[in-house]
Every structure is written in C-alpha cells, then in structure tokens.
Amino acid sequence: MSDKLLLCVILTVSCTLAGFAVGKYFKVRKEYFVELDDLLLRFSSNLTFTLDTVPKMLSSYETKSSLLSRQLAAAVSTMSGDKKELPSGYLSKSEFVFVDGMFGALGTYNSVAEKCANENNRLKLKEYREASESKYNKLGKSCVKLGFLLGLLLAVLFW
C-alpha cells in the first residue's frame, strides 16, 4: 500500500516538474524574442545619437537571455576578426537562419541603410515574437497543470 502511494506521489511530482520544464521552454523563447526586439530598437536609436562602433554597442547591451548573450558575444568576436559560429539554442531552423543573417549584416551598411535594414528585421522579428507569445499563452501557461493531471492519470492507472 505504501509502495503504491509512494509511486503515485513520485509520478505526480515528476510529471508536474516535466510540465514546468516545458512551460519554462516556451517562456524562455518568448523572452528571447522580446529582448532581441529591444536590442534592435536600442541599436537603431544608438545609430542616431551615438558615435559608438557596432561591436561596442552590441557588447554594451545587457540581456537576461543566456542564448542572446552568447549570440552577441559570437557576433562581436566575428566582427573583430574571429570566425565564431552563432549558437542556435532552442531556435527553429528558419528562426536561426533569420537571426544569423541579421547578426551577419549588422554594421555592413551606412547609418541610413542600417536603420532601414534594422526596421525590416524588426518587422520580420515581430512575426516570430507574436508566434512565440501566442504559443506561450496557449501552451506554456497550462503545461504545469497538464503535467499534474498526467501524473494523476498515470498514478490512477498504476494503482
């Protein structure tokens, strides 16, 4: 009896934690795209008001997203001559191709063309950001509850 009860508790807790991990994945993706949009907005405004170089602007940006900070470090090192590949992390193939092309094109135009390219990138990024936000709102917030219910279902099935 106590073994079955312990199994039920373990199943419920482990499925709840798995749901929490899946929800965290969706939340981290959503926050990544929000911060990337903020970076592009800040980059455009810095082009107008400062005379800093592109690597200096990128390295001065502080982010909460570990993937974005690794990508910024790779982009800065690539601009300074090292051939470093961008980490893809949890991005899909199309998202990674977009981000890789965007970081590769930063600093290659004059300021007016750079602003236009940056605005085009922000428009494309808006699609990815909205998709990740809607996925988080649909799935991410309910993953813990679904994990808990799955754990209860498995506990009942194994009782």
Side-chain angles (χ1 to χ4, degrees):
M1 177 73 173
S2 64
D3 292 341
K4 288 184 179 182
L5 184 64
L6 181 64
L7 178 67
C8 292
V9 169
I10 289 173
L11 281 173
T12 305
V13 168
S14 62
C15 287
T16 303
L17 289 176
F20 181 74
V22 171
K24 180 86 171 159
Y25 166 78
F26 288 121
K27 184 176 182 182
V28 166
R29 279 181 51 85
K30 179 187 79 124
E31 290 173 351
Y32 169 81
F33 287 116
V34 168
E35 285 196 30
L36 187 58
D37 188 44
D38 184 47
L39 169 71
L40 291 178
L41 182 64
R42 184 172 160 195
F43 182 75
S44 287
S45 65
N46 282 348
L47 282 175
T48 306
F49 299 112
T50 65
L51 297 175
D52 291 338
T53 62
V54 174
K56 187 174 181 181
M57 279 191 257
L58 291 179
S59 61
S60 68
Y61 185 76
E62 293 182 18
T63 178
K64 297 177 202 170
S65 171
S66 63
L67 176 62
L68 186 57
S69 62
R70 287 184 288 146
Q71 286 177 338
L72 287 174
V76 168
S77 68
T78 301
M79 288 176 192
S80 52
D82 298 337
K83 188 68 176 164
K84 202 167 188 184
E85 215 172 291
L86 280 179
S88 62
Y90 40 77
L91 298 177
S92 69
K93 189 169 181 97
S94 65
E95 293 166 347
F96 177 70
V97 167
F98 166 72
V99 170
D100 188 37
M102 182 196 67
F103 277 124
L106 282 180
T108 57
Y109 307 113
N110 62 16
S111 65
V112 175
E114 191 76 42
K115 284 182 193 176
C116 290
N118 204 12
E119 288 305 313
N120 288 337
N121 286 336
R122 285 192 68 218
L123 288 174
K124 179 72 174 168
L125 181 65
K126 184 178 179 182
E127 296 172 15
Y128 291 131
R129 190 185 76 217
E130 288 174 351
S132 68
E133 285 175 352
S134 70
K135 211 169 204 180
Y136 172 70
N137 289 336
K138 279 192 256 180
L139 298 173
K141 292 181 178 180
S142 62
C143 281
V144 176
K145 297 170 195 161
L146 290 173
F148 178 74
L149 290 174
L150 177 66
L152 286 179
L153 176 71
L154 289 176
V156 167
L157 288 176
F158 287 126
W159 189 265

